[in-house]
Amino acid sequence: MIDALAELGRDTDITVRINSAGGYTDDGIAIYNALTAHKGLVSVVVDGIAASAASVIAMAGDTITMRAGALMMIHDPAGLTWGDAAAHEKSRATLDKLADLMAGIYADRTGGDAAAIRADMREEVWMTGEEAVAAGYATHASEGKARAVAAFDYRIYAHAPEKLVALAKRENWSLTAAAARKAASAAPPKAQGKDSPMAEPTPAAPTPATTPQAAAQPTPAPAPHALDEAAILARVETITESAEGKANPALAKHLAFKTKMTADEALATLKASAMDAPKPDDAPNPAQYQADRSAAQQVAKPVAGSGAKPKGRPTAASIYAARRTATTAARDAANQEA
């Protein structure tokens, strides 16, 4: 967003089109601040839905237009904590401060009381365009038909409209699947060989001229990029409930809560750890080690109880002495025969 604003110029009037069911709150606030700092006119249009963090972004508009059938939702932020009671209390305090900050942003836009808005956030309030205008969250309700809402697992919300819940179920909009697709798409591409030619980019098709009527219809937007706490929960469950995670729960919890690894990366680490673990057959055997060492050196072992000592390696002196002994013995034998 910051790069796009810099490219357009700070004094340029812009239109921000929103169709998002939410995402990370700190990202939403960062985008809101970037838009409020923009010197040009900021016109926000909610094409389908502006829920959770997306509704915070919408508040940055000098004008906020809700298309007919579009929805806006405000609620308290949520998060995942792993640890003792003190860790949970710290997270609760942080969430309360973040929620109060969001309520302040809504209050600045609507002119309402921040405490009352915070109470609405706890209840998770969904608004149509007309309701959003009446409450001060939007400035206009357009007659233009809203687009289909962005793909999202609306079942995670407490009071999502039944039609959105049914749509998410029918289309199988799952945050677990979305997180897996995101991790797969983020995997680095395979390295090209030295002699392998780079693929030529496919030229973009020419863009046909649009009439004013066609231009008024927005193009479909992709599913929201940022995932909320449900995706985090799905990642943690994938890691800790896997067969590898149950085999090594301490490492699984560390990877799930103390690292930023994707689920696939964490599972790969757990599998590698299982392969490196010592097996019963790998236990040290001093007696076998000594036997192998002795055999390798070709050193004779004494027989138990015989008192015999292993013979050392032959030397030049011993070889010559053996030859002299053999020569003398042969000479003596020949003399005896004579």
Side-chain angles (χ1 to χ4, degrees):
M1 175 66 73
I2 292 175
D3 290 343
L5 292 175
E7 183 178 351
L8 292 171
R10 295 191 66 194
D11 297 322
T12 304
D13 294 344
I14 62 173
T15 298
V16 180
R17 314 194 76 94
I18 297 178
N19 188 9
S20 170
Y24 292 110
T25 307
D26 50 357
D27 289 342
I29 293 175
I31 296 173
Y32 164 84
N33 287 327
L35 292 174
T36 54
H38 186 70
K39 289 187 176 181
L41 181 69
V42 177
S43 301
V44 169
V45 178
V46 179
D47 282 324
I49 187 171
S52 189
S55 66
V56 174
I57 297 173
M59 299 299 103
D62 295 302
T63 62
I64 305 170
T65 301
M66 301 282 293
R67 294 174 69 90
L71 293 170
M72 182 177 289
M73 184 270 278
I74 63 172
H75 71 156
D76 259 8
L80 180 68
T81 304
W82 171 261
D84 56 16
H88 287 283
E89 288 295 335
K90 184 177 179 180
S91 293
R92 176 175 180 172
T94 300
L95 288 172
D96 278 334
K97 290 180 180 179
L98 189 58
D100 289 340
L101 176 62
M102 295 170 63
I105 292 174
Y106 294 135
D108 289 343
R109 161 56 61 179
T110 63
D113 178 66
I117 291 175
R118 179 68 197 281
D120 288 340
M121 291 168 61
R122 292 189 179 96
E123 295 298 322
E124 188 183 295
V125 175
W126 293 76
M127 295 172 280
T128 64
E130 292 76 11
E131 291 170 339
V133 171
Y137 290 94
T139 58
H140 301 86
S142 170
E143 294 182 358
K145 185 178 180 181
R147 288 183 38 226
V149 296
F152 191 82
D153 192 352
Y154 295 95
R155 292 167 288 186
I156 70 170
Y157 290 137
H159 305 297
E162 291 183 2
K163 64 178 182 180
L164 295 186
V165 174
L167 181 62
K169 184 177 181 180
R170 184 177 72 246
E171 299 296 332
N172 193 28
W173 287 341
S174 168
L175 289 176
T176 303
R181 289 194 300 271
K182 180 181 176 184
S185 65
K190 294 183 179 179
Q192 296 261 352
K194 275 188 176 181
D195 300 326
S196 61
M198 296 292 289
E200 291 294 330
T202 303
T207 304
T210 58
T211 63
Q213 291 79 6
Q217 297 299 325
T219 56
H225 178 70
L227 301 176
D228 65 0
E229 63 273 6
I232 302 175
L233 289 169
R235 169 186 169 276
V236 170
E237 183 177 359
T238 299
I239 297 171
T240 57
E241 296 301 319
S242 65
E244 297 84 358
K246 291 181 178 180
N248 194 343
L251 179 58
K253 289 180 180 178
H254 172 78
L255 296 175
F257 298 106
K258 300 296 184 181
T259 73
K260 295 183 179 181
M261 286 185 176
T262 65
D264 289 341
E265 291 171 342
L267 291 177
T269 301
L270 286 166
K271 289 179 181 177
S273 174
M275 293 175 64
D276 292 339
K279 301 178 178 59
D281 295 341
D282 296 335
N285 188 335
Q288 183 63 40
Y289 170 78
Q290 185 58 44
D292 293 342
R293 185 170 182 270
S294 298
Q297 294 179 345
Q298 296 182 349
V299 177
K301 295 173 59 179
V303 179
S306 67
K309 295 182 180 180
K311 297 180 179 179
R313 292 181 178 180
T315 64
S318 64
I319 292 173
Y320 293 141
R323 288 179 178 176
R324 288 194 297 269
T325 301
T327 301
T328 302
R331 186 183 303 116
D332 294 341
N335 292 334
Q336 289 179 359
E337 292 177 0

